[in-house]
Amino acid sequence: MAKKCLIKDTELNTVIDIFAGKYPETITELNHSNPFELLIATMLSAQCTDVRVNIVTEELFKKLKTPEDFAVLTPEELSPYIKTCGLYKTKSKNIVNACKLLLEDFNGEVPQTHEELMSLPGVGRKTANVVLSNAFGIPAIAVDTHVFRVTNRIGIVNADDVSKTEKQLMERLPEKIWSDAHHWFIYHGRRVCKARKPLCEECDIKNYCCYYSSLENKGGDL
């Protein structure tokens, strides 16, 4: 990336303290009642809003509750349930096949390691991290578009892809706050540090932010 600004550790500690106070409830906004439902919801959330996924799963989980329920379907039979989430043909195929593997390899239980989760069709590292963190309380940082944008803008990391972003965050943040920090960055990205027009003047951490500092130095539109 062109930007080379990184905030100091002391500034990062202050940012962490501010976020911890501003966003005390760190829970996923994907509605679920068990690890399996979270896995399905997270798979559906690719390039789709949590709001839309919750609308879909509210009806979906009334009819299909277990891996067995999904595994007996064809992708074509599942597609109408999830069509409004987008990419529904690929998601239908992955979900049906993932549920078959859950039954074949994991006794119908959602596994609790990166490697096992990522052996399921349609489950990448981000989805695995969401499930591990939110379903099992295992420290993890799932880097979605919000986490990538916010952490690079602030200067917590300087990375040009999600893998490097996750690695740098794991290096700079204490493991005990990884899961909380993941939610802080998402909340901040949705409410303040928006993609097209960040609300810098409303931001509680602007005085520690590389992006805001660059705008000030350039005399840009804040």
Side-chain angles (χ1 to χ4, degrees), residues 36 64-73 99-100 103 107-108:
F36 175 67
L64 305 170
K65 303 178 184 298
T66 66
E68 290 87 350
D69 293 337
F70 285 87
V72 298
L73 300 178
C99 288
K100 289 179 179 178
L103 295 171
N107 297 315

Side-chain angles (χ1 to χ4, degrees), residues 25-206:
E25 292 190 11
T26 52
I27 58 174
T28 179
E29 294 183 331
L30 289 171
N31 295 336
H32 65 284
S33 60
N34 56 55
F36 175 67
E37 289 186 356
L38 179 60
L39 173 63
I40 299 302
T42 308
M43 293 175 73
L44 290 173
S45 71
Q47 298 186 38
C48 183
T49 67
D50 289 356
V51 172
R52 169 53 55 186
V53 172
N54 288 337
I55 292 171
V56 168
T57 57
E58 183 178 5
E59 296 302 317
L60 179 67
F61 293 151
K62 290 178 182 177
K63 301 176 177 68
L64 305 170
K65 303 178 184 298
T66 66
E68 290 87 350
D69 293 337
F70 285 87
V72 298
L73 300 178
T74 65
E76 292 74 22
E77 290 172 327
L78 177 58
S79 289
Y81 292 102
I82 67 170
K83 190 170 185 178
T84 59
C85 283
L87 303 175
Y88 67 93
K89 292 183 179 179
T90 299
K91 290 177 182 179
S92 295
K93 181 179 178 180
N94 285 337
I95 288 172
V96 169
N97 289 333
C99 288
K100 289 179 179 178
L101 279 181
L102 284 178
L103 295 171
E104 293 171 4
D105 295 344
F106 303 105
N107 297 315
E109 299 294 327
V110 177
Q112 299 185 36
T113 69
H114 280 107
E115 292 74 19
E116 290 174 324
L117 279 166
M118 291 172 65
S119 73
L120 301 173
V123 177
R125 188 166 179 87
K126 185 193 80 170
T127 296
N129 281 339
V130 169
V131 174
L132 291 175
S133 174
N134 292 281
F136 301 115
I138 298 172
I141 302 174
V143 180
D144 65 0
T145 56
H146 298 295
V147 175
F148 178 78
R149 178 179 71 254
V150 169
T151 56
N152 277 281
R153 269 186 182 167
I154 294 171
I156 298 174
V157 300
N158 180 33
D160 54 13
D161 62 44
V162 294
S163 296
K164 292 176 183 177
T165 297
E166 181 185 352
K167 183 176 184 294
Q168 291 180 27
L169 286 173
M170 291 170 67
E171 291 171 348
R172 295 206 72 186
L173 299 176
E175 182 176 350
K176 65 182 180 181
I177 70 163
W178 285 354
S179 296
D180 287 343
H182 156 75
H183 291 294
W184 296 336
F185 301 140
I186 289 176
Y187 297 157
H188 199 65
R190 287 175 174 166
R191 301 170 189 177
V192 181
C193 195
K194 300 181 179 183
R196 294 187 178 181
K197 189 172 179 59
L199 306 178
C200 292
E201 286 303 317
E202 299 178 17
C203 180
D204 293 333
I205 58 95
K206 63 179 179 290

Side-chain angles (χ1 to χ4, degrees), residues 214-222:
S214 71
L215 290 179
E216 283 194 311
N217 292 335
K218 294 177 181 178
D221 181 10
L222 300 179

